[in-house]
Amino acid sequence: MTRQKIPAAPSIRRLPSYLHIIRQAEAEGDEFISGTLIANELHLEPIQVRKDLAITGIVGKPKRGYPVVPLIAAIEHFLAWDSKKNAVIIGAGNLATALTGYQQFQAHGLNFVGAFDTSADKIGKSIHGVPVFHIDTLKEQTKKLGATIAVLTVPSEYAQESADRVVEAGIKAIWNFTNRKLKLPDDVVCQREDLTSGYAMLCVMIGE
């Protein structure tokens, strides 16, 4: 899937929430689920849910809805969660510890195979079973570990330098948890996470 063909980001971001509801329906023994039910659970319009699900290629049945098991498979396949992806994490601090300890990543195919840092106190140890290497060995270890994704959790002032090392190591996908916009080659994809966005929404909702 090329960048030009990737659907709107909001639709992609909603799919995991849909998947959670659909899995609950599966656990309760339901064979079908309606777009309206999903919409009601998430306070969305049914037409929005149907449009979002349409990008996965699955079609619902009139008066019955979507078949639960094929729908789960369609969403997971569209999100590429049905295939294994090895990832390295750059910066073995608190955020790296939290991310490597989140078990749902493995359930969605994301497998942390190595962490990298410059601190002598961390190198040679492990976080949640993920070995910590010196950043200078990134290129060598990336090839050994078969990593295709790099997650940046370094202090922001080191973000670009770390990204340059990642690119040099041959990794073409970066998940950026710093607050810096990175300068990257055209063939490298990057998703930046702004952890303050959710907090901002919460603050507006509570009105304080």
Side-chain angles (χ1 to χ4, degrees), residues 84-88 109-113 145-150 171:
K84 181 179 176 181
K85 292 165 284 293
N86 288 343
V88 292
L110 183 62
N111 181 36
F112 285 110
V113 292
L145 298 170
T148 57
I149 297 174
I171 293 177

Side-chain angles (χ1 to χ4, degrees), residues 67-198:
V68 168
V69 174
L71 181 56
I72 290 172
I75 294 175
E76 289 188 333
H77 183 69
F78 178 82
L79 296 174
W81 283 0
D82 56 354
S83 61
K84 181 179 176 181
K85 292 165 284 293
N86 288 343
V88 292
I89 193 160
I90 314 300
N94 292 334
L95 182 53
T97 300
L99 293 174
T100 54
Y102 184 57
Q103 297 300 314
Q104 283 299 308
F105 282 141
Q106 285 195 349
H108 299 322
L110 183 62
N111 181 36
F112 285 110
V113 292
F116 294 83
D117 208 287
T118 58
S119 172
D121 293 336
K122 298 174 182 177
I123 296 165
K125 298 180 180 179
S126 64
I127 47 177
H128 295 295
V130 179
V132 181
F133 305 98
H134 195 285
I135 189 65
D136 289 344
T137 68
L138 177 61
K139 188 172 184 178
E140 172 190 354
Q141 292 294 343
T142 292
K143 293 179 180 179
K144 289 182 179 180
L145 298 170
T148 57
I149 297 174
V151 182
L152 295 190
T153 61
V154 295
S156 294
E157 58 265 33
Y158 301 113
Q160 186 62 56
E161 176 187 348
S162 299
D164 292 342
R165 285 176 176 265
V166 166
V167 172
E168 184 182 355
I171 293 177
K172 301 295 186 181
I174 297 176
W175 197 0
N176 179 17
F177 281 85
T178 78
N179 63 11
R180 296 294 173 87
K181 183 177 180 180
L182 304 174
K183 296 179 181 179
L184 300 167
D186 290 339
D187 62 343
V188 176
V189 297
C190 179
Q191 171 63 36
R192 180 170 166 245
E193 294 296 333
D194 184 355
L195 297 180
T196 61
S197 295

Side-chain angles (χ1 to χ4, degrees), residues 43-69:
H43 306 289
L44 297 171
E45 293 296 328
I47 190 171
Q48 182 66 70
V49 172
R50 290 194 291 270
K51 287 181 177 180
D52 290 343
L53 293 178
I55 66 177
T56 70
I58 196 166
V59 178
K61 296 184 178 181
K63 298 182 180 181
R64 300 200 72 184
Y66 299 89
V68 168
V69 174

Side-chain angles (χ1 to χ4, degrees), residues 194-208:
D194 184 355
L195 297 180
T196 61
S197 295
Y199 176 59
M201 181 62 70
L202 180 64
C203 289
V204 172
M205 290 170 66
I206 62 177
E208 296 181 5

